[in-house]
Amino acid sequence: MADNTIVEPKTKQKLEHPKQYKVLLHNDDYTPMEFVVLVLAVVFQMDETQAIQLMLHVHNYGVGVCGIYSYEVAESKIHKVHELAEENNYPLLCSMEEE
Ligand code: TYC
């Protein structure tokens, strides 16, 4: 008996690579260093040493990476940073950039 099995040509299987986004923190001349350290600890779960290091990096170089996340998580973290900054009347800015 003839074998009527239809063999479908293999479609190229591309593994999904969910996009990742760097959350960037920007320097300014007004936000106090201690406040930036607090925000990094609260929003990005950094310990004090990491938070101070990143804050000083941003202070010295203008920008720094707080972490790499999915779009939704990055957006939510940026929102929290801006919320805390606004509540305290500081111009602290955060943004995201596709990795
Ligand atoms: N440049 C600020 C100051 O001298 C400190 C600072 C650091 C502000 C990092 C924002 O993302 C920042 N008080």
Side-chain angles (χ1 to χ4, degrees):
M1 208 164 86
D3 182 352
N4 291 327
T5 311
I6 297 168
V7 180
E8 296 282 351
K10 267 203 177 149
T11 48
K12 259 194 189 165
Q13 281 190 352
K14 200 177 158 205
L15 284 178
E16 285 304 321
H17 241 301
K19 282 183 183 169
Q20 297 275 275
Y21 296 82
K22 288 189 272 199
V23 171
L24 305 176
L25 184 70
H26 300 269
N27 189 34
D28 66 70
D29 292 338
Y30 304 101
T31 308
M33 290 183 171
E34 306 72 48
F35 182 79
V36 177
V37 170
L38 181 95
V39 166
L40 292 173
V42 169
V43 179
F44 299 95
Q45 284 89 45
M46 291 185 195
D47 64 34
E48 201 181 8
T49 308
Q50 292 174 307
I52 291 171
Q53 265 185 18
L54 179 57
M55 181 279 296
L56 287 175
H57 175 93
V58 175
H59 176 72
N60 289 320
Y61 298 102
V63 69
V65 179
C66 302
I68 298 169
Y69 307 97
S70 68
Y71 186 89
E72 290 75 16
V73 173
E75 192 176 49
S76 149
K77 291 200 180 279
I78 291 169
H79 184 78
K80 281 184 201 160
V81 170
H82 290 161
E83 204 169 56
L84 289 170
E86 278 162 29
E87 280 168 17
N88 291 276
N89 293 312
Y90 295 133
L92 187 63
L93 273 187
C94 227
S95 65
M96 72 167 112
E97 185 178 87
E98 197 183 319
E99 246 228 304

